Amino acid sequence: MPSSATPMDLRRRLVTEALGCALLVVALEGSHHVAEHLGASATEGRLFMSLSCGAVLACLLWVLRPLSGAHLNPALTFADALGDRTPWREVPLYALAQLSGALVGRLVAHLMCNEPLLLTARMPAADGARFLTEMVATFGLLVVVRGCVRTRPSAMPLAIAGYVAATVWFTDSRSLANPALVLARAASAHLGVMSPWEVESFIAAQLLGAALAVFLFRWLLGGAPKPVATAAVETVVFECAEAGPAHLAAALFNTLAHPDRARAVVSPPPGTGLDDGPPVAVATLMREANLRAAPPRDRSVPASHYVLIDVAGQAPGMDARVRERWSLPVLSLKDETGAKALQAALRPKLHQLLARQGWERLHVVSGGGPAPEGPRALT
């Protein structure tokens, strides 16, 4: 993940999902309109759509994935919830944001192309073949996603974009295996695109394909069904000889980490036993970025991971349980510039820790067993 990505709260992540869906719909419908305007044949029109949608989707995934997970697809959000990556309480909000963004993108595309804005009332044309087409297209998309999560996380944006672009050619799917695009394309005046009466059957087919892919990969990878007992949340301790770095690192960690898998606490420097909180500049930065301060360490609760933050060779003495030691340059935390420099220095280290342990929000590996070694990251 890029080190410049800013952690976001739920509200901002939902806006990011809506924005991504809107831009994807604009690309899809805009390419369709341009192909018609240029008098392109059916084959050339498909080429326009596959190239534009594939390129735009790859760009959106690269940019938005560190911010919201970049599902941009209710079927992917649904599949993530089945795989214990996305909390179920966030699924309706993500789906609503994605569908709303798709409709806004449809409206923008209508305005750009000078087309009617109202829904058209055409008779449904969906049949068993098109139902199967949507199910197979979505099933294949989830196979690519789940495979990349486990084996090639860095290749995910290009793999997903390549598959989606290919669906334009090897299936008759009109929605790129995306329920949000089903709704958006149903609001189109183009004949032969999609009827509003087909929405329910198409979305059902796509969700069924997504569920089949999730359960197939759960079986292939030896994952058991979700255990009744809730897995313990791992505690990560951050400690530093100076006030500020540990507080900011723990706050960023809790924003980026999946809340059901890991949480960070702050330990005061040895010998003091007191935590006076971060400096004013760091506290101000945390408040402006909507970062909630991490709680102090409760020594009665065992910790599974320790991170010692070393500032220019100055570090508290910790025992052999220390798992990691992060070295940072000398930074003045008396002003905003120093606080932002500290944030920039901590962010890549946090991303590496989260990816290595499988604790990323929306990208957590499902199942009760230990996470496979190596960095992982989704959708």
Side-chain angles (χ1 to χ4, degrees), residues 6 34 70 86 96-97 112 122 159 169 202 244 276-277 287 298 315 321:
T6 303
V34 170
T86 301
L96 181 60
M112 289 170 54
R122 298 188 303 278
W169 291 96
F202 279 15
D276 296 329
R287 185 169 56 254
D298 180 359
R321 294 174 299 176

Side-chain angles (χ1 to χ4, degrees), residues 32 35 39-49 168-169:
H32 191 175
S41 65
T43 301
E44 293 169 339
R46 290 205 171 200
L47 181 60
F48 269 81
M49 293 172 62
V168 177
W169 291 96

Side-chain angles (χ1 to χ4, degrees), residues 314-359:
Q314 300 295 322
M318 293 181 67
D319 55 35
R321 294 174 299 176
V322 173
R323 299 284 187 87
E324 297 196 34
R325 185 180 183 122
W326 295 355
S327 297
L328 301 179
V330 177
L331 297 171
S332 173
L333 302 181
K334 297 181 179 180
D335 53 29
E336 180 182 3
T337 301
K340 289 185 176 180
L342 173 62
Q343 184 183 29
L346 289 171
R347 197 178 289 138
K349 298 180 181 295
L350 287 166
H351 283 310
Q352 293 170 9
L353 171 62
L354 291 167
R356 186 169 63 252
Q357 299 295 328
W359 290 336

Side-chain angles (χ1 to χ4, degrees), residues 244-375:
H247 297 84
L248 183 56
L252 288 168
F253 180 96
N254 286 336
T255 301
L256 294 166
H258 194 292
D260 296 334
R261 291 302 176 93
R263 70 182 185 96
V265 297
V266 180
S267 179
T272 65
L274 300 175
D275 185 3
D276 296 329
V280 175
V282 175
T284 301
L285 177 64
M286 292 170 58
R287 185 169 56 254
E288 291 177 350
N290 294 318
L291 297 175
R292 182 175 300 177
R297 181 189 177 189
D298 180 359
R299 294 190 177 273
S300 64
V301 177
S304 58
H305 206 93
Y306 293 80
V307 177
L308 175 62
I309 300 178
D310 177 346
V311 180
Q314 300 295 322
M318 293 181 67
D319 55 35
R321 294 174 299 176
V322 173
R323 299 284 187 87
E324 297 196 34
R325 185 180 183 122
W326 295 355
S327 297
L328 301 179
V330 177
L331 297 171
S332 173
L333 302 181
K334 297 181 179 180
D335 53 29
E336 180 182 3
T337 301
K340 289 185 176 180
L342 173 62
Q343 184 183 29
L346 289 171
R347 197 178 289 138
K349 298 180 181 295
L350 287 166
H351 283 310
Q352 293 170 9
L353 171 62
L354 291 167
R356 186 169 63 252
Q357 299 295 328
W359 290 336
E360 293 171 293
R361 184 183 293 270
L362 304 178
H363 307 293
V364 177
V365 176
S366 61
E373 295 184 359

